[in-house]
Amino acid sequence: MTTTGADAREPFLRLAPAAHARGAVTLPGSKSISNRALLLAALAEGTTGLEGLLDSDDTRVMRAALRALGLDLRQDEGRVCLEGAADWPQKRADLFLGNAGTAFRPLTAALAMMGGDYRLSGVPRMHERPIGDLVDALRSLGCEIAYEGREGYPPLRIGRGRLDVSRPVRVRGAVSSQFLTALLMAAPIAARRAGRDVVIELDGPLISKPYILITLNLVERFGVCVRREGWQRFIIPAEARYRAPGRYRIEGDASSASYFLGLGAIAGGPVRIEGVGGDSIQGDVAFAEVVEAMGARVEREADALVVSGRAVADGGRLRAFDRDFNLIPDAAMTAAVLALYADGPCRLRNIASWRVKETDRIAAMHAELARLGARVESDADSLTVHPLPAGDWRAAEIRTYDDHRMAMCFSLAAFGPVPVTILDPGCVSKTYPGYFKDFHRLLGVERGGAAPAPVITIDGPTASGKGTIAQKVAQALGWHVLDSGALYRLTALAVLREGGDGADEAQAARLARSLDIRFEPDAILMGGEDVSALIRQEEVGNLASRVAAWPAVREALLACQRAFRQAPGLVGDGRDMGTVVFPDAPLKIFLDADVEVRAQRRYKQLKDKGFSANLDDLLQDLRARDARDRGRAHAPLVAAADAVTVDSSHQGIDDVVRQVLDLWSARGPA
Ligand SMILES: Nc1ncnc2c1ncn2[C@@H]1O[C@H](COP(=O)(O)OP(=O)(O)OP(=O)(O)O)[C@@H](O)[C@H]1O
Ligand SMILES: Nc1ccn([C@H]2C[C@H](O)[C@@H](COP(=O)(O)O)O2)c(=O)n1
């Protein structure tokens, strides 16, 4: 079955007003732990098998960088195996690290201490994120680092400095705790090279302390014990050496758990979150206490959390808060959106670090919450969000600023009375590529119980754009899609391959019943063979129209089509979706267009795919096919009595998609 979601970089994702959510979700691996573990495994003597490693943009750039540095990474039965080395083989490399702070900062420290000729760069936003505090600390150790552009910011050039660890290295931790993390993880390199203890001292305050605890925990798992004097002084002994722990299991991402904790709090639940629990080493697991304080119930297991609450749709209201979020700045973003459903103004304090994250999150959060209609106040390091009364919600398009967390936390704005549109939802690929699929699944379980999953049917004549529109509507809603014409085309292809011409009803029905097919995201397989291009040929389409006239063929394909109806929903395109296959569909579209326009479109479509085509012949074929599809005795092509007719002759694809989504939103599907 073809499942669509927000994995590809689609321009927008429309979330219809939702009411309830329940079910279980398994979190992807923690980004913070994944990138730390990759670096430590790369520095450790021996082989480490990393289990549960996050597969996302940020970990992919880290893996690519380690490969470019000469390290051996292999995928082996669901784990990533890495052969580490105290000194990396490749002494010259140009590394592109995207927008991954968890890769950029630690690699800067490790490479600067090893020495070599390296260049580290990232996306434009990475070049706006400060790194001066780390570079200053490394330079004080004798490392050679130059700014290629603006002083204090990437890109960086690293050379071969002369390490001197005779004095403590001082580092500031007020802007980002990742600078201290980077030094702590790389320090054993310097200790080994200099043959003496490395002492790191904190210069001023330290934010996000729980992340330092994650670092110390991991460093210890890889064999290095750091002596810690409060939060002021860290001593890495001269004899410190990283050793591979054999296997290391990465727990789920606690920051990502915050969205589901929030979901359970406002959508009733219970929502079971697997991958983090009472045993977690991540500070963001403390977000469970935030939703508890807001009125939700959370049960803690060693490796799971179960959250429930009184759904906003049932009149539930969260308790307002005034809270210091310095320790959990990432999860705090979720609290800012939950504030919309609170019983009073909510204040998030001590969140200045938001200003230098993937985007200026204080400014971004302020702007987007206001776009929904909320009253918001912000200053240098705090944000106040006023609850949004039902009548004040606006159906907004939320900008996400290429920030995964903006996209994920604003999914929780779907519990207001109007639809919300998330722009560039694919930015979640930074840490959670499957987020919207999981989110929709939890929303759909409720619908999938007693009531069948909702269906939008799109019927119409050939080349009116049904398939194109169905795909995009399904993508925007995170639903499944059924291209029913493909089933008739596959039957026609099977008939052709048996030497038939479609005149034998029994033969066509037998082949329709025994189709061995599989729908994949980018291919349609028959008997294991990819026939997606073959079935689009006009010869096959014409025969499909003929075999589709046989009642026995239609009967043979009926159950198969209905089986596509699964939560969270289905968009089905064809000729009889709204009249025969899904007569109870809550929204039926009859998509039409002038036959000349359709012939032009089909002509262009075929030419673009490299097939030969003749416009006059196509026009004739389309007319003949229209006549056959409309004129047959069984399940003819006709608009269902309750269908909305949309004429796409003079409308672009995106306009039609929006029109269908608006119709769906107007029905108030939740
Ligand atoms: N509104 C539109 N404006 C311009 N081009 C469109 C529009 N809708 C669809 N198209 C283009 O027309 C062509 C035919 O569209 P599509 O294959 O989706 O039609 P269809 O109705 O599913 O056809 P079939 O009945 O053969 O399955 C495609 O190349 C598509 O990109
Ligand atoms: N629900 C359906 C879908 C398709 N058909 C027939 C009619 C078409 O000519 C043929 C191929 O469909 P297409 O890929 O062009 O949409 O299959 C039908 O009868 N009922």
Side-chain angles (χ1 to χ4, degrees), residues 462 484-485 488-489 545 548 554 574-577 625 629 632:
T462 194
S484 63
Y488 292 94
R489 286 174 182 262
S545 162
R554 305 202 73 83
R575 305 293 186 287
D576 61 346
M577 296 288 98
R625 205 161 347 147
D629 291 348
R632 67 182 174 226

Side-chain angles (χ1 to χ4, degrees), residues 18-224:
H20 299 101
R22 61 192 308 220
V25 65
T26 301
L27 295 168
S30 153
K31 173 190 70 160
S32 305
I33 298 180
S34 291
N35 269 353
R36 280 171 175 81
L38 278 168
L39 185 89
L40 295 177
L43 287 170
E45 281 165 33
T47 306
T48 306
L50 296 172
E51 294 170 9
L53 190 80
L54 171 66
D55 183 15
S56 75
D57 293 352
D58 279 15
T59 54
R60 265 177 234 144
V61 292
M62 183 64 141
R63 287 164 69 167
L66 293 175
R67 275 205 191 90
L69 291 163
L71 290 145
D72 181 24
L73 277 91
R74 275 164 292 118
Q75 189 79 36
D76 181 19
E77 288 179 5
R79 63 168 82 166
V80 171
C81 292
L82 216 166
E83 187 71 41
D87 197 23
W88 294 337
Q90 196 50 259
K91 290 288 159 199
R92 192 178 275 275
D94 189 343
L95 305 175
F96 175 78
L97 298 167
N99 199 5
T102 54
F104 206 108
R105 282 78 182 255
L107 278 172
T108 297
L111 292 172
M113 288 189 197
M114 273 180 203
D117 295 307
Y118 302 110
R119 178 173 181 272
L120 275 66
S121 65
V123 298
R125 174 63 188 167
M126 180 53 96
H127 298 173
E128 293 169 0
R129 299 175 69 182
I131 196 163
D133 290 342
L134 176 60
V135 171
D136 288 350
L138 289 165
R139 281 176 173 170
S140 79
L141 277 176
C143 297
E144 190 187 314
I145 308 179
Y147 297 111
E148 207 173 69
R150 189 152 61 115
E151 203 55 21
Y153 296 83
L156 301 178
R157 280 199 181 273
I158 291 174
R160 296 161 198 268
R162 292 174 68 87
L163 276 184
D164 175 7
V165 298
S166 56
R167 278 171 292 123
V169 48
R170 291 181 66 75
V171 65
R172 283 165 37 85
V175 171
S176 167
S177 64
Q178 283 182 14
F179 304 148
L180 176 56
T181 278
L183 282 179
L184 284 166
M185 289 204 290
I189 304 170
R192 185 179 64 90
R193 286 188 61 194
R196 56 192 297 172
D197 291 0
V198 176
V199 180
I200 302 172
E201 285 180 358
L202 202 69
D203 185 0
L206 173 66
I207 62 165
S208 312
K209 292 189 182 89
Y211 284 102
I212 301 301
L213 294 178
I214 296 180
T215 304
L216 294 173
N217 187 302
L218 261 99
V219 161
E220 193 171 337
R221 274 303 304 274
F222 281 80
V224 168

Side-chain angles (χ1 to χ4, degrees), residues 127-434:
H127 298 173
E128 293 169 0
R129 299 175 69 182
I131 196 163
D133 290 342
L134 176 60
V135 171
D136 288 350
L138 289 165
R139 281 176 173 170
S140 79
L141 277 176
C143 297
E144 190 187 314
I145 308 179
Y147 297 111
E148 207 173 69
R150 189 152 61 115
E151 203 55 21
Y153 296 83
L156 301 178
R157 280 199 181 273
I158 291 174
R160 296 161 198 268
R162 292 174 68 87
L163 276 184
D164 175 7
V165 298
S166 56
R167 278 171 292 123
V169 48
R170 291 181 66 75
V171 65
R172 283 165 37 85
V175 171
S176 167
S177 64
Q178 283 182 14
F179 304 148
L180 176 56
T181 278
L183 282 179
L184 284 166
M185 289 204 290
I189 304 170
R192 185 179 64 90
R193 286 188 61 194
R196 56 192 297 172
D197 291 0
V198 176
V199 180
I200 302 172
E201 285 180 358
L202 202 69
D203 185 0
L206 173 66
I207 62 165
S208 312
K209 292 189 182 89
Y211 284 102
I212 301 301
L213 294 178
I214 296 180
T215 304
L216 294 173
N217 187 302
L218 261 99
V219 161
E220 193 171 337
R221 274 303 304 274
F222 281 80
V224 168
C225 235
V226 176
R227 287 208 307 279
R228 172 158 88 92
E229 295 171 11
W231 291 104
Q232 264 337 101
R233 231 168 118 84
F234 303 83
I235 299 146
I236 295 87
E239 62 280 5
R241 300 288 179 273
Y242 286 126
R243 289 190 214 303
R247 68 177 271 281
Y248 182 80
R249 166 124 210 107
I250 288 152
E251 59 182 74
D253 193 286
S255 311
S256 299
S258 72
Y259 313 118
F260 300 111
L261 284 164
L263 185 64
I266 57 174
V271 174
R272 184 180 170 80
I273 306 161
E274 289 176 1
V276 291
D279 286 355
S280 173
I281 62 168
Q282 298 169 78
D284 275 1
V285 79
F287 193 75
E289 290 154 32
V290 176
V291 294
E292 276 176 326
M294 294 181 85
R297 284 180 305 284
V298 182
E299 290 161 42
R300 291 167 178 76
E301 297 172 18
D303 195 29
L305 300 168
V306 184
V307 58
S308 49
R310 176 149 183 252
V312 173
D314 302 333
R317 213 69 209 162
L318 297 175
R319 268 197 294 279
F321 60 81
D322 180 343
R323 205 176 174 109
D324 183 330
F325 280 101
N326 180 279
L327 297 182
I328 52 168
D330 286 351
M333 294 174 75
T334 308
V337 179
L338 291 182
L340 296 170
Y341 310 102
D343 57 8
C346 296
R347 181 148 186 257
L348 293 90
R349 285 181 282 111
N350 214 350
I351 51 167
S353 66
W354 278 21
R355 297 256 182 223
V356 292
K357 298 279 185 165
E358 280 78 345
T359 185
D360 177 342
R361 285 177 171 168
I362 294 187
M365 187 61 80
H366 185 146
E368 301 314 310
L369 288 170
R371 212 180 288 285
L372 285 169
R375 212 175 104 211
V376 188
E377 290 120 30
S378 62
D379 58 24
D381 72 345
S382 81
L383 186 81
T384 302
V385 184
H386 294 258
L388 194 47
D392 292 358
W393 280 79
R394 287 192 227 126
E397 291 194 336
I398 301 297
R399 278 139 192 75
T400 46
Y401 307 81
D402 200 17
D403 183 345
H404 55 140
R405 300 211 182 283
M406 286 294 288
M408 292 189 276
C409 66
F410 270 92
S411 64
L412 299 179
F415 292 82
V418 294
V420 57
T421 301
I422 309 286
L423 299 180
D424 187 23
C427 65
V428 299
S429 63
K430 188 175 190 336
T431 50
Y432 197 158

